[in-house]
């Protein structure tokens, strides 16, 4: 019965370093999403997984961003050579099907100094 | 391009003072319109899904309604614990729009005792 779990909850990194953000979806949920929320901005779609494949990567802002999902469960979002504009809250969500409501984790707050 | 606009950006109410939040949308075919509540430092929490014009959903002091161009979230006799940011999102019915929710920037509601 656990919800979506994200780790770490906070991450401070230096400009130019790589970071990995982790998402554990609700058990049995086949769809998984990554969103980014910046101060004063709406939630920005990044990528959608169905199972282990990513049919929609259209929201990834640059080739520094990548994500994978293994075993139809855990997902990792990797940001290479971080920039200050990458600072935001990164939210993961899962849903039972693509047409079901999204259930969000509490996010990872990324600060790039 | 699918778009969601929420108004007002912020709303301050006295406890017991009913009001409505607006969500205007443009989408090439609507699969669903979603309302979420977000508390500070937390991920969005699902409230309602509406699928067709004329549909209404209720939960405690909240009622969501849908027309072909907008949705309203009516808050009746609010309490301080209703204070939060309320987010509206749409899912399109065609192509890649079915893979994601497009969010508005939210309405920050503060209910004073």
């Amino acid at each position: 019965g656990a919800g979506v779990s994200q780790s770490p909850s906070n991450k401070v990194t230096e400009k130019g370093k790589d970071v990995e953000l982790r998402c554990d979806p609700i058990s049995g949920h086949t769809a998984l999403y990554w969103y980014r929320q910046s101060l004063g901005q709406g939630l920005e779609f990044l990528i959608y997984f169905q199972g282990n494949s990513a049919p929609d990567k259209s929201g990834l802002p640059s080739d520094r961003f990548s994500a994978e999902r293994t075993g139809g469960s855990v997902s990792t979002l990797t940001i290479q050579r971080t920039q200050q504009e990458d600072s935001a809250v990164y939210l993961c969500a899962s849903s039972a099907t693509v047409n079901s409501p999204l259930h969000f984790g509490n996010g990872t707050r990324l600060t790039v100094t | 391009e699918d778009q969601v606009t929420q108004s007002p950006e912020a709303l301050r109410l006295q406890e017991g003072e009913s009001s409505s939040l607006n969500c205007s949308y443009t989408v090439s075919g609507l699969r669903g319109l979603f309302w979420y509540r977000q508390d500070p430092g937390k991920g969005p929490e699902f409230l309602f899904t509406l699928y067709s014009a004329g549909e209404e959903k209720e939960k405690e002091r909240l009622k969501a309604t849908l027309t072909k161009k907008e949705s309203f979230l009516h808050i009746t006799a609010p309490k301080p614990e209703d204070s939060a940011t309320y987010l509206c999102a749409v899912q399109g019915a065609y192509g890649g729009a079915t893979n994601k929710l497009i969010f508005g920037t939210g309405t920050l509601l503060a209910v004073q005792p």
Side-chain angles (χ1 to χ4, degrees), chain B residues 10-102:
Chain B
L11 180 63
R12 182 171 295 183
L13 299 174
Q14 291 295 125
E15 184 172 2
E17 179 187 3
S18 301
S19 188
S20 296
L21 313 183
N22 178 263
C23 171
S24 298
Y25 64 91
T26 54
V27 64
S28 300
L30 179 70
R31 175 165 286 187
L33 184 140
F34 300 80
W35 282 99
Y36 284 82
R37 168 193 172 127
Q38 187 173 26
D39 292 298
K42 302 289 188 183
E45 176 189 349
F46 170 71
L47 293 173
F48 303 110
T49 309
L50 301 167
Y51 295 102
S52 58
E55 189 175 1
E56 298 183 352
K57 293 266 180 82
E58 284 190 68
K59 179 180 180 180
E60 296 181 355
R61 295 176 292 283
L62 301 177
K63 182 169 80 172
T65 62
L66 180 64
T67 72
K68 288 186 177 179
K69 293 185 178 181
E70 58 192 354
S71 176
F72 293 93
L73 185 65
H74 307 277
I75 303 177
T76 301
K79 298 182 177 182
E81 53 262 42
D82 295 322
S83 298
T85 296
Y86 290 85
L87 299 170
C88 174
V90 296
Q91 181 184 23
Y94 308 115
T98 63
N99 296 332
K100 60 180 79 75
L101 299 188
I102 305 299

Side-chain angles (χ1 to χ4, degrees), chain A:
Chain A
V4 177
S5 177
Q6 292 188 246
S7 61
S9 55
N10 283 282
K11 177 72 177 178
V12 181
T13 191
E14 293 181 351
K15 177 182 173 181
K17 300 282 190 182
D18 297 352
V19 295
E20 284 190 354
L21 313 180
R22 177 187 169 102
C23 173
D24 281 277
I26 293 172
S27 178
H29 279 195
T30 59
L32 185 147
Y33 307 79
W34 285 96
Y35 280 81
R36 178 169 72 175
Q37 187 172 33
S38 304
L39 200 60
Q41 304 292 317
L43 274 75
E44 175 190 7
F45 169 79
L46 298 178
I47 187 169
Y48 153 65
F49 286 92
Q50 181 60 43
N52 289 337
S53 64
D56 192 339
K57 306 178 183 179
S58 62
L60 295 178
S62 75
D63 59 8
R64 296 186 296 104
F65 288 71
S66 64
E68 65 175 12
R69 188 179 185 193
T70 57
S73 181
V74 173
S75 177
T76 303
L77 177 69
T78 301
I79 308 173
Q80 296 179 311
R81 304 181 303 281
T82 51
Q83 303 294 311
Q84 287 188 330
E85 60 263 29
D86 300 333
S87 296
V89 176
Y90 289 81
L91 290 161
C92 176
S94 68
S95 64
T97 71
V98 70
N99 294 320
S100 303
L102 274 60
H103 297 271
F104 283 86
N106 287 330
T108 293
R109 179 174 298 277
L110 176 66
T111 303
V112 182
T113 62

